[in-house]
Amino acid sequence: MNLRALVSVTGKPGLYKLIGQNRAGFILESLDKAKIKTVVNLNTTKMATLEDITIYGEEDEIRLLDVLETIKANGGNTPDPKTARNEELRNFFREVAPGHDESRVYISDIKKIISWYNIIKEFPLFDEEAPAPIQ
């Protein structure tokens, strides 16, 4: 799974693809059907690549990439984040992210991760090999 160019922007719903940079900041394109392009200034906005996001664990942090790979390996069937009951979401997350810290990983976090999975599973990069880390 190649998530290198995908980012989450604080305060903005959905996911974005990093497509360039100019003097004002980073140029992003939304991953929805609208394909809206926007410029994000890192002085005023926080942005994180999906590759770098981790989830609180009881022992160690769990990489988001590992959770998404587990969902994919389990057939990709996810509960609907909008209609599923909280207990159903929590049980699903216990399966795909065993050892997560249930007191610090909220239902809203689980819903967001499921939504992100459902967005990216449609894209070719979902099945691409991740490039080697930059040295």
Side-chain angles (χ1 to χ4, degrees):
M1 193 176 295
N2 178 8
L3 303 179
R4 182 156 292 164
L6 298 184
V7 296
S8 169
V9 179
T10 302
K12 292 184 180 267
L15 293 173
Y16 297 83
K17 183 175 183 179
L18 180 62
I19 59 173
Q21 185 175 0
N22 66 17
R23 282 184 272 176
F26 290 99
I27 303 168
L28 306 177
E29 180 180 74
S30 65
L31 291 183
D32 58 10
K33 289 180 176 76
K35 300 284 186 209
I36 297 170
K37 290 182 175 62
T38 186
V39 176
V40 174
N41 183 330
L42 292 182
N43 291 329
T44 58
T45 308
K46 290 185 181 182
M47 181 174 76
T49 65
L50 295 191
E51 194 174 58
D52 295 333
I53 294 175
T54 58
I55 299 162
Y56 294 115
E58 293 172 346
E59 304 278 324
D60 295 320
E61 292 185 340
I62 303 165
R63 294 178 34 208
L64 175 63
L65 179 61
D66 295 337
V67 174
L68 297 175
E69 288 284 2
T70 303
I71 295 172
K72 181 180 175 183
N74 288 349
N77 298 326
T78 60
D80 184 335
K82 294 181 180 176
T83 61
R85 294 184 342 268
N86 289 353
E87 191 58 35
E88 181 182 357
L89 293 167
R90 182 63 71 184
N91 287 335
F92 169 77
F93 211 67
R94 286 180 186 129
E95 290 177 24
V96 298
H100 72 277
D101 186 342
E102 294 190 19
S103 65
R104 294 175 25 183
V105 177
Y106 302 110
I107 294 298
S108 60
D109 300 324
I110 296 170
K111 288 180 177 182
K112 185 184 303 182
I113 290 168
I114 292 171
S115 296
W116 288 351
Y117 177 83
N118 290 328
I119 290 170
I120 65 170
K121 73 179 181 182
E122 305 299 326
F123 292 93
L125 52 87
F126 184 73
D127 295 314
E128 286 178 11
E129 256 325 290
I134 300 170
Q135 299 285 341

